[in-house]
Each structure stands twice: as C-alpha cells, then as structure tokens.
C-alpha cells in the first residue's frame, strides 16, 4: 500500500517514513511541493500525508492537482497551523482529515487507517478468501484459521496486491509499484526473490493457495 508523505521537517519526515514502513506501507517522501506534484502526476497513491508550510508554497495547492487525477487519494493534513480558519481552509480545499503537530504516531496511524477504510472500494467486503487464506483489506492482515500470518513488509505488499485482484493476474509493474518506493533500488530479480519467499511461507502455513507466475506478464493467486 503506497502512500505519499510531503513534509519538510527532516526529523519528523524521517520518523514518519520509518514508522509507516515498519507498519507495512510503502512511503514516497518529498520535502517540497514541486516534487510532490511531479510524484502525484506519475504514481498512484492510496493516501497522502501533507504538510502545509512547505519551502515552495502551501501544501493545499497539491490537493487541486490531486483532484485532476482519476480516483484521487484521501489527504490527511499534518500541520502546526492549528487555529480554526486554517483548519476550515484545509477541509474546504478537499482534505479529509487534519492532524495537529506534534502528534503521537499511533494517532497518525489510526487516522490513516480510517481514511483508507473509508476510501477503500472493497470496504463492503473487507475479507477476501482464497483457499484457506483470508485477507482483511482494511487491516491488511492475512489470516489462516483465525490466526494472523505475520509477513515481512515487502511480502505483505505483494500479497496485498494479489489478494485485491484475487483470481486475476497482477502485472509485474503493478506489483513493483506496490512494493517499492521511488528511493528503493530494485535489482532485476528482487521481486522474484520476495515472491519465492512468500510462496514458501504460504506453503509452510498451509494456506491452500498457489502463487502462480505468468511468464513475462505477472503473478496471480488462486486456490490450490
Ligand atoms: Ca513545514
């Protein structure tokens, strides 16, 4: 699940990236408006975490650009501007939520989950099941026989993409977009390595699924 963070305070930015990555998100982090605009024009994000006071302008300008995109992601504004007119301006501009700095990371994560759940097209069917493997879309949690299956974050990102398109082939490029941020170094066989570890983990857990490779195209997950 790929999210965009636009934040120019180095320490806060680095902390949020580290914590979100640990929580299983792929995070693209930019420190100015110009780079963030370029990013939203070329990548699809599930959510945007947006600071307002940026070196080259008000973060709210990004929202106007997002609105021109197909299925614009929800925006959570992170800012120290806490008086009422500023909050209203943010929400008027189309932001879905507002978090005042300083904030506890747990609160950021909780708000982010609410946004994702609210905007998830699959929100009415939060659980997808293939074989013995169930997947909670909102919580991004694989479950086998009622027990959560712990996965490293890249494998979880791959499984997330495959479960969301259960029974259909997910193109290799789409998987890579889901798994890697702009800053990651992708070696040509890195995806295959993650896929093969995920395949083994699913087999070991007796998930009852087959992670099937379609040569030159991508991968799909189906019941065994
Ligand atoms: Ca700032």
């Amino acid at each position: 699940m790929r999210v965009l963070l636009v934040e120019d305070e180095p320490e806060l930015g680095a902390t949020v990236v580290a914590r979100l990555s640990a929580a299983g998100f792929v995070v693209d982090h930019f420190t100015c408006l110009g780079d963030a605009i370029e990013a939203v024009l070329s990548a699809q994000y599930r959510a945007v975490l947006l600071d307002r006071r940026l070196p080259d302008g008000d973060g709210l300008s990004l929202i106007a650009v997002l609105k021109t995109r197909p299925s614009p992601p929800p925006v959570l504004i992170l800012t120290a501007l806490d008086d009422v007119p500023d909050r209203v301006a943010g929400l008027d501009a189309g932001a879905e939520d507002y978090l005042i700095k300083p904030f506890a990371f747990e609160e950021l994560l909780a708000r982010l989950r609410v946004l994702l759940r609210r905007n998830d097209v699959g929100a009415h069917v939060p659980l997808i099941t293939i074989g013995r493997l169930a997947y909670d879309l909102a919580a991004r949690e694989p479950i086998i026989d009622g027990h959560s299956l712990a996965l490293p974050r890249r494998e979880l990102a791959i499984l997330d993409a495959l479960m969301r398109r259960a029974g259909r082939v997910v193109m290799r490029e789409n998987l890579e977009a889901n798994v890697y941020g702009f800053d990651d170094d992708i070696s040509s066989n890195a995806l295959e390595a993650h896929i093969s570890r995920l395949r083994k983990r699913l087999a070991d857990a007796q998930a009852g699924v087959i992670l099937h490779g379609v040569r030159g195209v991508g991968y799909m997950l189906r019941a065994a």
Side-chain angles (χ1 to χ4, degrees):
M1 177 127 13
R2 190 168 182 175
V3 301
L4 173 65
L5 170 67
V6 190
E7 171 59 68
D8 64 322
E9 286 167 43
E11 205 172 308
L12 178 61
T15 304
V16 171
V17 169
R19 300 289 301 267
L20 285 177
S21 301
F25 292 92
V26 173
V27 187
D28 286 338
H29 175 209
F30 296 101
T31 55
C32 71
L33 201 50
D35 289 347
I37 289 173
E38 261 183 59
V40 301
L41 292 176
S42 63
Q44 185 69 44
Y45 294 99
R46 296 293 308 281
V48 177
L49 308 175
L50 182 63
D51 180 30
R52 279 196 61 183
R53 284 187 187 152
L54 294 165
D56 52 348
D58 185 337
L60 291 189
S61 325
L62 184 68
I63 298 179
V65 178
L66 283 169
K67 296 291 178 201
T68 67
R69 306 289 297 159
S71 51
V75 175
L76 173 64
I77 292 184
L78 310 174
T79 186
L81 300 169
D82 61 352
D83 52 304
V84 172
D86 283 323
R87 281 193 215 206
V88 171
L91 298 174
D92 275 353
E96 302 223 353
D97 200 1
Y98 219 98
L99 195 55
I100 304 297
K101 298 175 191 173
F103 49 81
F105 178 76
E106 286 64 29
E107 178 162 20
L108 171 63
L109 197 56
R111 302 267 195 111
L112 180 58
R113 288 199 167 121
V114 168
L115 283 194
L116 293 169
R117 205 172 299 142
R118 200 188 290 158
N119 286 274
D120 200 322
V121 284
H124 301 295
V125 277
L127 219 55
I128 292 178
T129 304
I130 307 181
R132 295 177 60 229
L133 177 66
Y135 186 71
D136 183 325
L137 287 174
R140 308 183 74 241
E141 183 184 25
I143 302 158
I144 296 175
D145 286 344
H147 298 288
S148 182
L149 174 67
L151 293 177
R153 68 186 173 98
R154 298 215 198 279
E155 290 170 43
L156 179 61
I158 291 169
L159 184 69
D160 183 86
L162 292 169
M163 290 304 274
R164 281 171 199 278
R165 290 184 59 83
R168 288 169 291 169
V169 176
V170 181
M171 311 280 280
R172 190 194 162 83
E173 304 85 80
N174 293 349
L175 276 179
E176 283 176 342
N178 226 6
V179 173
Y180 302 103
F182 282 150
D183 297 335
D184 287 327
D185 183 25
I186 309 174
S187 76
S188 61
N189 61 1
L191 184 68
E192 275 69 26
H194 293 304
I195 293 266
S196 92
R197 283 196 288 271
L198 175 60
R199 189 179 275 141
K200 176 164 191 322
R201 234 181 279 271
L202 291 171
D204 289 349
Q206 301 182 307
V209 297
I210 292 173
L211 206 176
H212 179 63
V214 182
R215 190 173 289 275
V217 181
Y219 292 88
M220 71 179 281
L221 203 57
R222 60 177 172 80

